[in-house]
Amino acid sequence: MVKVLKCSYCGEEIPPGTGTTFVKNDGSIFQFCTPKCRKMKLKFKKPARKVRWTKYFGQK
Ligand SMILES: [Zn+2]
């Protein structure tokens, strides 16, 4: 049984074998379902709750 991962940005489930993992210098691990999510988090640093297509949109 494969553990289902959730995207660190949008909150969607990541099918096994897809997505990317990113480890920050401080050791924290991020999983991303698509390069788009990766870019939004790491490059644009946009809070997921302000992005309409994430599951966290509108949350506090
Ligand atoms: Zn995602």
Coordinates of all heavy atoms in Angstrom, one line a residue:
M1 N 0.9 -1.2 0.0 CA 0.0 0.0 0.0 C 0.9 1.2 0.0 O 1.7 1.4 0.9 CB -0.9 0.0 1.2 CG -2.0 1.0 1.2 SD -3.2 0.7 -0.1 CE -4.1 2.3 -0.1
V2 N 0.7 2.1 -1.0 CA 1.5 3.3 -1.1 C 0.8 4.4 -0.4 O -0.4 4.6 -0.5 CB 1.7 3.7 -2.6 CG1 2.6 4.9 -2.7 CG2 2.3 2.5 -3.3
K3 N 1.6 5.1 0.4 CA 1.0 6.3 1.1 C 0.7 7.4 0.1 O 1.5 7.7 -0.7 CB 2.1 6.8 2.1 CG 1.5 7.7 3.1 CD 2.6 8.1 4.2 CE 2.2 9.4 4.8 NZ 3.2 10.4 4.7
V4 N -0.5 7.9 0.3 CA -0.9 9.0 -0.7 C -0.3 10.3 -0.1 O -0.6 10.7 1.0 CB -2.4 9.1 -0.8 CG1 -2.8 10.3 -1.7 CG2 -2.9 7.8 -1.4
L5 N 0.4 11.0 -1.0 CA 1.0 12.3 -0.6 C 0.1 13.4 -1.1 O -0.6 13.3 -2.0 CB 2.4 12.5 -1.3 CG 3.4 11.4 -0.9 CD1 4.6 11.6 -1.8 CD2 3.8 11.6 0.5
K6 N 0.1 14.5 -0.3 CA -0.6 15.6 -0.7 C 0.3 16.8 -1.1 O 1.3 17.0 -0.4 CB -1.6 16.1 0.4 CG -2.7 15.1 0.6 CD -3.9 15.8 1.2 CE -5.1 14.8 1.2 NZ -5.9 14.9 2.3
C7 N -0.1 17.5 -2.1 CA 0.7 18.6 -2.6 C 0.9 19.7 -1.4 O -0.1 20.0 -0.8 CB 0.1 19.2 -3.8 SG 0.9 20.7 -4.4
S8 N 2.1 20.1 -1.2 CA 2.4 21.1 -0.2 C 1.8 22.4 -0.5 O 1.7 23.3 0.4 CB 3.9 21.2 0.0 OG 4.4 20.0 0.4
Y9 N 1.4 22.6 -1.7 CA 0.9 23.9 -2.1 C -0.6 23.9 -2.2 O -1.3 24.6 -1.5 CB 1.5 24.4 -3.4 CG 1.2 25.9 -3.6 CD1 1.7 26.8 -2.8 CD2 0.3 26.2 -4.6 CE1 1.4 28.2 -3.0 CE2 0.0 27.5 -4.8 CZ 0.5 28.5 -4.0 OH 0.2 29.8 -4.2
C10 N -1.1 23.1 -3.2 CA -2.6 23.2 -3.5 C -3.4 22.2 -2.6 O -4.6 22.4 -2.5 CB -2.8 23.0 -5.0 SG -2.6 21.3 -5.5
G11 N -2.8 21.2 -2.0 CA -3.5 20.3 -1.2 C -4.1 19.1 -1.9 O -4.7 18.2 -1.3
E12 N -3.9 19.0 -3.2 CA -4.4 17.9 -4.0 C -3.6 16.7 -3.7 O -2.4 16.8 -3.4 CB -4.4 18.2 -5.5 CG -5.4 19.3 -6.0 CD -6.8 18.8 -5.9 OE1 -7.1 17.6 -5.8 OE2 -7.7 19.7 -5.8
E13 N -4.2 15.5 -3.9 CA -3.4 14.2 -3.7 C -2.5 14.1 -4.9 O -2.8 14.4 -6.1 CB -4.4 13.0 -3.6 CG -5.1 13.0 -2.3 CD -6.0 11.8 -2.2 OE1 -6.1 11.0 -3.1 OE2 -6.6 11.7 -1.1
I14 N -1.3 13.5 -4.7 CA -0.3 13.3 -5.7 C -0.3 11.8 -6.0 O 0.1 11.0 -5.2 CB 1.1 13.8 -5.3 CG1 1.1 15.2 -4.8 CG2 2.1 13.6 -6.4 CD1 2.4 15.7 -4.2
P15 N -0.7 11.4 -7.2 CA -0.6 10.0 -7.6 C 0.8 9.5 -7.5 O 1.7 10.2 -7.8 CB -1.1 10.0 -9.1 CG -1.8 11.3 -9.3 CD -1.2 12.3 -8.3
P16 N 1.0 8.2 -6.9 CA 2.3 7.7 -6.8 C 3.1 7.7 -8.1 O 2.5 7.4 -9.1 CB 2.0 6.2 -6.3 CG 0.7 6.3 -5.7 CD -0.1 7.3 -6.5
G17 N 4.4 8.1 -8.0 CA 5.2 8.1 -9.2 C 5.2 9.4 -9.9 O 5.9 9.6 -10.9
T18 N 4.3 10.4 -9.5 CA 4.3 11.7 -10.1 C 4.7 12.7 -9.1 O 4.8 12.4 -7.9 CB 2.9 12.0 -10.7 OG1 2.0 12.1 -9.6 CG2 2.5 10.9 -11.6
G19 N 4.8 13.9 -9.5 CA 5.1 15.0 -8.6 C 6.6 15.1 -8.3 O 7.4 14.3 -8.7
T20 N 6.9 16.2 -7.6 CA 8.3 16.4 -7.3 C 8.5 16.7 -5.8 O 7.6 17.2 -5.1 CB 8.9 17.6 -8.0 OG1 8.0 18.8 -7.8 CG2 8.9 17.4 -9.5
T21 N 9.6 16.3 -5.3 CA 10.0 16.6 -3.9 C 11.0 17.7 -3.8 O 11.9 17.7 -4.6 CB 10.5 15.3 -3.2 OG1 9.6 14.3 -3.4 CG2 10.8 15.5 -1.8
F22 N 10.9 18.5 -2.9 CA 11.9 19.6 -2.7 C 12.3 19.6 -1.2 O 11.4 19.7 -0.3 CB 11.3 20.9 -3.1 CG 12.3 22.1 -3.0 CD1 13.3 22.3 -3.9 CD2 12.2 22.9 -1.9 CE1 14.2 23.3 -3.7 CE2 13.1 23.9 -1.7 CZ 14.1 24.1 -2.6
V23 N 13.6 19.6 -0.9 CA 14.0 19.7 0.4 C 14.7 21.0 0.6 O 15.7 21.3 -0.1 CB 15.0 18.5 0.8 CG1 15.4 18.6 2.3 CG2 14.3 17.2 0.5
K24 N 14.2 21.8 1.6 CA 14.9 23.1 1.8 C 16.1 22.9 2.7 O 16.4 21.9 3.2 CB 13.9 23.9 2.6 CG 13.2 25.0 1.8 CD 12.1 25.7 2.6 CE 12.6 26.8 3.5 NZ 11.5 27.5 4.1
N25 N 16.9 24.0 2.7 CA 18.2 23.9 3.4 C 18.0 23.6 4.9 O 18.8 23.0 5.5 CB 18.9 25.3 3.3 CG 19.4 25.5 1.9 OD1 19.7 24.5 1.2 ND2 19.6 26.7 1.5
D26 N 16.9 24.0 5.4 CA 16.6 23.8 6.9 C 16.0 22.4 7.1 O 15.7 22.0 8.2 CB 15.7 24.8 7.4 CG 14.3 24.8 6.8 OD1 14.0 23.9 6.1 OD2 13.5 25.8 7.1
G27 N 15.9 21.6 6.1 CA 15.5 20.2 6.2 C 14.0 20.0 6.1 O 13.5 18.8 6.1
S28 N 13.2 21.0 5.9 CA 11.8 20.8 5.7 C 11.5 20.3 4.3 O 12.2 20.7 3.3 CB 11.0 22.1 6.0 OG 11.6 23.2 5.4
I29 N 10.6 19.4 4.2 CA 10.3 18.7 2.9 C 9.0 19.2 2.3 O 8.0 19.2 3.0 CB 10.3 17.2 3.1 CG1 11.7 16.7 3.6 CG2 9.9 16.5 1.8 CD1 11.7 15.3 4.1
F30 N 9.0 19.5 1.0 CA 7.8 19.9 0.3 C 7.5 18.9 -0.8 O 8.5 18.4 -1.5 CB 7.9 21.2 -0.3 CG 8.1 22.3 0.7 CD1 9.3 22.8 1.1 CD2 7.0 22.9 1.4 CE1 9.5 23.8 2.0 CE2 7.1 23.9 2.3 CZ 8.4 24.4 2.6
Q31 N 6.3 18.5 -1.0 CA 5.9 17.7 -2.1 C 5.0 18.5 -3.0 O 4.1 19.2 -2.5 CB 5.1 16.5 -1.7 CG 5.7 15.7 -0.5 CD 6.7 14.7 -1.0 OE1 6.9 14.4 -2.1 NE2 7.3 14.1 0.0
F32 N 5.3 18.5 -4.3 CA 4.5 19.3 -5.3 C 3.9 18.4 -6.3 O 4.6 17.5 -6.9 CB 5.3 20.4 -5.9 CG 5.8 21.4 -4.9 CD1 7.1 21.4 -4.6 CD2 4.9 22.2 -4.2 CE1 7.6 22.3 -3.6 CE2 5.4 23.1 -3.3 CZ 6.7 23.2 -3.0
C33 N 2.6 18.6 -6.7 CA 2.0 17.8 -7.7 C 2.4 18.2 -9.1 O 2.5 17.3 -10.0 CB 0.4 17.8 -7.5 SG -0.3 19.4 -7.7
T34 N 2.6 19.5 -9.3 CA 3.0 19.9 -10.6 C 4.1 21.0 -10.5 O 4.2 21.6 -9.4 CB 1.8 20.6 -11.3 OG1 1.3 21.7 -10.5 CG2 0.7 19.6 -11.6
P35 N 4.8 21.2 -11.6 CA 5.8 22.3 -11.6 C 5.2 23.7 -11.3 O 5.8 24.6 -10.7 CB 6.4 22.3 -13.0 CG 6.1 20.9 -13.4 CD 4.8 20.5 -12.8
K36 N 3.9 23.8 -11.6 CA 3.2 25.0 -11.3 C 3.1 25.3 -9.8 O 3.4 26.4 -9.4 CB 1.8 24.9 -11.9 CG 0.9 26.2 -11.8 CD -0.3 26.2 -12.7 CE -1.5 25.8 -12.0 NZ -2.7 26.1 -12.7
C37 N 2.7 24.3 -9.1 CA 2.7 24.5 -7.6 C 4.0 24.8 -7.0 O 4.2 25.6 -6.2 CB 2.1 23.2 -7.0 SG 0.4 22.9 -7.3
R38 N 5.0 24.1 -7.6 CA 6.4 24.3 -7.1 C 6.8 25.8 -7.3 O 7.4 26.4 -6.4 CB 7.3 23.4 -7.9 CG 8.7 23.3 -7.5 CD 9.6 22.5 -8.5 NE 10.9 22.9 -8.3 CZ 11.9 22.2 -7.8 NH1 11.6 21.0 -7.3 NH2 13.1 22.6 -7.7
K39 N 6.5 26.3 -8.5 CA 6.9 27.6 -8.8 C 6.1 28.6 -7.9 O 6.7 29.6 -7.4 CB 6.5 27.9 -10.3 CG 7.5 28.7 -11.0 CD 7.1 29.1 -12.4 CE 7.3 28.0 -13.4 NZ 6.8 28.4 -14.7
M40 N 4.8 28.4 -7.7 CA 4.0 29.3 -6.9 C 4.6 29.4 -5.5 O 4.6 30.5 -4.9 CB 2.6 28.8 -6.9 CG 1.9 29.0 -8.2 SD 1.7 30.7 -8.8 CE 0.3 31.2 -7.8
K41 N 5.0 28.3 -5.0 CA 5.5 28.2 -3.6 C 6.9 28.8 -3.5 O 7.2 29.6 -2.6 CB 5.4 26.8 -3.1 CG 6.0 26.6 -1.7 CD 5.0 26.9 -0.7 CE 5.6 26.6 0.7 NZ 4.6 26.9 1.8
L42 N 7.8 28.3 -4.3 CA 9.2 28.6 -4.2 C 9.6 29.9 -4.8 O 10.5 30.6 -4.4 CB 10.1 27.5 -4.7 CG 9.8 26.1 -4.0 CD1 10.6 25.0 -4.6 CD2 10.1 26.2 -2.5
K43 N 9.0 30.2 -6.0 CA 9.5 31.4 -6.7 C 8.6 32.6 -6.4 O 9.2 33.6 -6.1 CB 9.4 31.0 -8.2 CG 10.2 32.0 -9.1 CD 10.2 31.6 -10.5 CE 10.8 32.7 -11.4 NZ 10.5 32.5 -12.8
F44 N 7.3 32.4 -6.5 CA 6.5 33.6 -6.3 C 6.1 33.7 -4.8 O 5.6 34.8 -4.4 CB 5.2 33.4 -7.2 CG 5.5 33.4 -8.6 CD1 5.2 32.3 -9.4 CD2 6.2 34.5 -9.3 CE1 5.6 32.2 -10.7 CE2 6.5 34.4 -10.6 CZ 6.2 33.3 -11.4
K45 N 6.2 32.7 -4.0 CA 5.9 32.7 -2.6 C 4.5 33.3 -2.3 O 4.3 34.1 -1.4 CB 7.0 33.6 -1.9 CG 8.4 32.9 -1.9 CD 9.4 33.7 -1.1 CE 10.7 33.0 -0.9 NZ 11.4 32.7 -2.1
K46 N 3.6 32.8 -3.1 CA 2.2 33.3 -3.0 C 1.5 32.4 -2.0 O 1.5 31.2 -2.2 CB 1.5 33.3 -4.3 CG 0.5 34.4 -4.5 CD 0.2 34.5 -6.0 CE -1.1 35.2 -6.2 NZ -1.3 36.5 -5.7
P47 N 0.8 33.0 -1.0 CA 0.1 32.2 0.0 C -1.0 31.4 -0.7 O -1.8 32.0 -1.5 CB -0.5 33.2 1.0 CG 0.3 34.4 0.8 CD 0.8 34.4 -0.6
A48 N -1.1 30.1 -0.5 CA -2.1 29.2 -1.1 C -3.5 29.7 -0.9 O -4.4 29.5 -1.7 CB -1.9 27.8 -0.7
R49 N -3.7 30.3 0.3 CA -5.1 30.7 0.6 C -5.5 31.9 -0.2 O -6.7 32.3 -0.2 CB -5.2 31.0 2.1 CG -4.4 32.2 2.5 CD -4.6 32.4 4.0 NE -4.0 33.7 4.4 CZ -2.7 33.9 4.7 NH1 -1.9 32.8 4.7 NH2 -2.2 35.0 5.0
K50 N -4.6 32.5 -1.0 CA -5.0 33.6 -1.8 C -5.0 33.2 -3.3 O -5.2 34.0 -4.2 CB -4.0 34.8 -1.7 CG -4.1 35.4 -0.3 CD -3.3 36.7 -0.2 CE -3.5 37.3 1.1 NZ -2.5 38.4 1.4
V51 N -4.8 31.9 -3.5 CA -4.8 31.4 -4.9 C -6.1 30.6 -5.1 O -6.3 29.6 -4.4 CB -3.5 30.6 -5.2 CG1 -3.6 30.1 -6.6 CG2 -2.3 31.5 -5.0
R52 N -6.9 31.0 -6.1 CA -8.2 30.4 -6.3 C -8.2 28.9 -6.5 O -9.2 28.2 -6.1 CB -8.9 31.1 -7.4 CG -10.4 31.0 -7.5 CD -10.9 32.0 -8.5 NE -10.8 33.4 -8.1 CZ -11.6 34.0 -7.3 NH1 -12.7 33.4 -6.9 NH2 -11.4 35.3 -7.0
W53 N -7.2 28.4 -7.2 CA -7.3 26.9 -7.6 C -6.7 26.0 -6.5 O -6.7 24.8 -6.7 CB -6.7 26.7 -9.0 CG -5.3 27.3 -9.1 CD1 -5.0 28.5 -9.7 CD2 -4.0 26.8 -8.7 NE1 -3.7 28.8 -9.7 CE2 -3.0 27.7 -9.1 CE3 -3.6 25.6 -8.1 CZ2 -1.7 27.5 -8.8 CZ3 -2.3 25.4 -7.8 CH2 -1.3 26.4 -8.2
T54 N -6.3 26.5 -5.4 CA -5.9 25.6 -4.3 C -7.0 25.2 -3.4 O -8.1 25.9 -3.4 CB -4.7 26.2 -3.5 OG1 -5.3 27.2 -2.6 CG2 -3.6 26.8 -4.3
K55 N -6.8 24.2 -2.6 CA -7.9 23.8 -1.7 C -7.9 24.7 -0.5 O -8.8 24.6 0.3 CB -7.6 22.3 -1.2 CG -8.0 21.3 -2.2 CD -8.0 19.9 -1.5 CE -8.6 18.9 -2.4 NZ -8.7 17.6 -1.9
Y56 N -6.9 25.5 -0.3 CA -6.8 26.4 0.8 C -7.3 27.8 0.6 O -7.3 28.6 1.5 CB -5.3 26.4 1.3 CG -4.7 25.1 1.5 CD1 -3.7 24.6 0.7 CD2 -5.2 24.3 2.6 CE1 -3.2 23.4 0.9 CE2 -4.7 23.1 2.8 CZ -3.7 22.6 2.0 OH -3.1 21.3 2.2
F57 N -7.8 28.0 -0.6 CA -8.3 29.3 -0.9 C -9.4 29.7 0.0 O -10.4 29.0 0.3 CB -8.8 29.3 -2.4 CG -9.4 30.7 -2.8 CD1 -8.5 31.8 -3.0 CD2 -10.7 30.9 -2.9 CE1 -9.0 33.0 -3.4 CE2 -11.2 32.1 -3.3 CZ -10.4 33.2 -3.5
G58 N -9.3 30.9 0.5 CA -10.3 31.5 1.4 C -10.2 31.1 2.9 O -10.9 31.6 3.8
Q59 N -9.2 30.2 3.1 CA -9.0 29.8 4.5 C -8.1 30.8 5.2 O -7.4 31.5 4.6 CB -8.3 28.4 4.6 CG -9.2 27.3 4.2 CD -8.6 25.9 4.3 OE1 -7.5 25.8 5.0 NE2 -9.2 24.9 3.8
K60 N -8.2 30.8 6.6 CA -7.4 31.7 7.3 C -6.1 31.1 7.8 O -6.1 29.9 7.9 CB -8.2 32.2 8.5 CG -9.3 33.1 8.1 CD -10.0 33.9 9.2 CE -11.0 34.8 8.7 NZ -12.3 34.5 9.3
Ligands
ZN1 ZN -0.4 21.1 -6.2

